[in-house]
Amino acid sequence: MEVRSRLNGLASVPRSVWILGCVSLFMDVSSEIVHSLLPMFMMVGLGASAATIGLIEGIAEATAPIVKVFSGALSDHLGIRKWLAVAGYALGALSKPLFAIAPTIDVVVSARIIDRVGKGIRGAPRDALVADVTPVHLRGAAFGLRQSLDSIGAFLGPLLAVVIMSLWADNFRLAFWLAVIPGLLAVALLAFGIREPSREPGARRMNPVSLDNLRNLGSSYWWVVVIGAGFALARFSEAFLVLRAMGSGVPVALVPLLLVAMNIVYALSAYPFGKLADTMNPVKLLIAGLVVLIASDVVLAHGAHWSVVLLGVALWGLHMGMTQGLLATMVSHTAPAQLRGTAFGFFNLFSGTVTLASSVIAGELWDKLGAAATFHAGAAFSLATIALLLSGKAPHGRP
């Protein structure tokens, strides 16, 4: 009965959400082939330090949210979400060859920023489109499903990276070239597979980022933004998971397997926890997710053997599955329908800006005090975020 109920729940999710999830799957295969190898490529191939890698990753991850503000607002203003998302996915796919030809760190930085600009262009319109096509009582399930499909791509990407590196003698550049293919498939599927809902008759264009409209987002929405920033501070770039795996005795070609394990856990947990958020107070789930993140940080801080690192990375993936779709659901529930693109944009702007700071802090701690200090800091920030959630001011996240 439980399996039948779950299948019925999946069947009730709109077709467009499934397609958007498959688009995310293909693009994540493309991106994760690159991202699972890039920290090692920068350190081993180009001589970058952990602090440099942290700065690059922080800048890259902050770029996308800044762009999301403008793309989300533009999608609200024009009433067009699909083609903005297509443009973002196309830019992401076309950035991959730059990694393959990069002779210096400067070119890697440029490619990383272009890739994240593409993510920024597509992110807020895509998330707003998910909310637009999904009934309110199914949004947790819809965001969880999209996140699960996204995560399937996130573990297939590192798995393919392992295969490529094993068959072609640690050829980073060939792996980056091959990453272009699934990226282009994502663009084609979105362009030809989805019809955007019609704009409501009589709807007028407006400036979504006007002061009045920002006020109209409401205090519940802005509290979700604060919560998201707390999570971003506690969870720095996954590049540091790759660096931790490098020090666990695993051969370079097999390091991406740890990210495969993380994303398998992520994919399996995102939909069930997203559906659970439709029926219970999501704040409790957020706190539980932070407790799991603390456990991951403690394990990664105190164990260097590959089996211990694997456990820590799996706990990290469980935390992601419990919280990422849930935060998106809370944004969709607390923001007015006509301002959803703008709402997702500002949410990601604040989260991305904090991610830049947390990744820089993580890199500096790694170089000066060692890996354990980085993960201890992550646990401390997680405790601070739990205190924020327990303050009693957080909204339930459901209308």
Side-chain angles (χ1 to χ4, degrees):
M1 292 294 293
E2 183 180 348
V3 173
R4 182 180 299 175
S5 175
R6 184 169 297 180
L7 290 175
N8 289 338
L10 287 170
S12 63
V13 175
R15 172 180 173 273
S16 292
V17 176
W18 282 93
I19 294 175
L20 286 166
C22 291
V23 169
S24 293
L25 187 157
F26 282 121
M27 183 53 73
D28 249 40
V29 168
S30 175
S31 295
E32 292 302 325
I33 289 175
V34 174
H35 298 164
S36 64
L37 298 174
L38 194 60
M40 293 184 289
F41 176 65
M42 289 190 286
M43 183 170 281
V44 176
L46 301 178
S49 67
T52 300
I53 293 171
L55 179 60
I56 292 171
E57 288 298 307
I59 292 172
E61 293 304 325
T63 299
I66 293 171
V67 178
K68 283 181 182 180
V69 172
F70 298 101
S71 66
L74 188 61
S75 76
D76 287 336
H77 176 66
L78 298 177
I80 297 173
R81 308 203 196 277
K82 170 185 168 178
W83 291 109
L84 281 171
V86 169
Y89 278 108
L91 193 58
L94 296 175
S95 71
K96 301 303 186 286
L98 289 176
F99 294 105
I101 64 175
T104 64
I105 284 290
D106 292 343
V107 178
V108 170
V109 172
S110 300
R112 195 78 173 89
I113 290 175
I114 292 171
D115 176 57
R116 296 298 89 179
V117 167
K119 181 176 182 179
I121 291 173
R122 67 184 182 254
R126 179 204 61 212
D127 289 342
L129 186 56
V130 170
D132 288 346
V133 301
T134 306
V136 66
H137 67 283
L138 290 174
R139 283 194 192 141
F143 280 107
L145 174 64
R146 193 207 67 79
Q147 201 70 58
S148 286
L149 291 170
D150 181 278
S151 300
I152 291 172
F155 76 72
L156 288 178
L159 192 59
L160 286 173
V162 170
V163 173
I164 295 166
M165 296 287 280
S166 299
L167 292 179
W168 282 282
D170 296 345
N171 190 332
F172 289 99
R173 297 183 188 275
L174 175 63
F176 297 158
W177 277 115
L178 293 176
V180 178
I181 298 171
L184 294 177
L185 289 174
V187 176
L189 180 59
L190 179 57
F192 299 107
I194 287 182
R195 177 176 295 177
E196 185 166 5
S198 301
R199 190 178 175 90
E200 292 183 9
R204 63 183 182 86
R205 294 184 177 183
M206 59 179 179
N207 175 15
V209 294
S210 68
L211 188 58
D212 285 342
N213 279 323
L214 293 181
R215 288 197 192 101
N216 288 338
L217 287 171
S219 59
S220 292
Y221 164 77
W222 287 110
W223 188 254
V224 175
V225 170
V226 173
I227 293 169
F231 272 82
L233 186 61
R235 187 184 56 244
F236 37 77
S237 170
E238 291 169 13
F240 293 98
L241 301 182
V242 175
L243 296 182
R244 190 57 162 155
M246 283 180 65
S248 66
V250 176
V252 168
L254 300 182
V255 166
L257 283 177
L258 290 171
L259 292 185
V260 171
M262 181 193 81
N263 285 297
I264 288 175
V265 176
Y266 190 178
L268 292 175
S269 59
Y271 174 75
F273 280 106
K275 190 168 179 59
L276 187 61
D278 286 329
T279 58
M280 69 173 288
N281 182 353
V283 172
K284 294 180 180 178
L285 289 177
L286 291 177
I287 293 173
L290 285 165
V291 171
V292 173
L293 180 58
I294 291 170
S296 172
D297 284 324
V298 171
V299 170
L300 290 168
H302 292 282
H305 188 268
W306 70 266
S307 60
V308 179
V309 174
L310 177 62
L311 173 61
V313 167
L315 288 169
W316 192 286
L318 178 60
H319 148 78
M320 296 286 285
M322 294 173 73
T323 61
Q324 289 307 96
L326 182 52
L327 287 167
T329 302
M330 292 175 74
V331 171
S332 74
H333 284 335
T334 55
Q338 74 276 14
L339 292 173
R340 281 196 190 116
T342 305
F344 278 107
F346 273 96
F347 174 83
N348 287 288
L349 171 64
F350 282 89
S351 296
T353 303
V354 175
T355 297
L356 168 58
S358 66
S359 294
V360 171
I361 292 169
E364 290 293 333
L365 288 172
W366 191 291
D367 278 344
K368 294 179 180 178
L369 300 175
T374 296
F375 292 107
H376 283 144
F381 290 136
S382 296
L383 286 171
T385 306
I386 289 175
L388 186 66
L389 285 163
L390 291 174
S391 68
K393 298 178 181 178
H396 283 233
R398 295 195 308 276

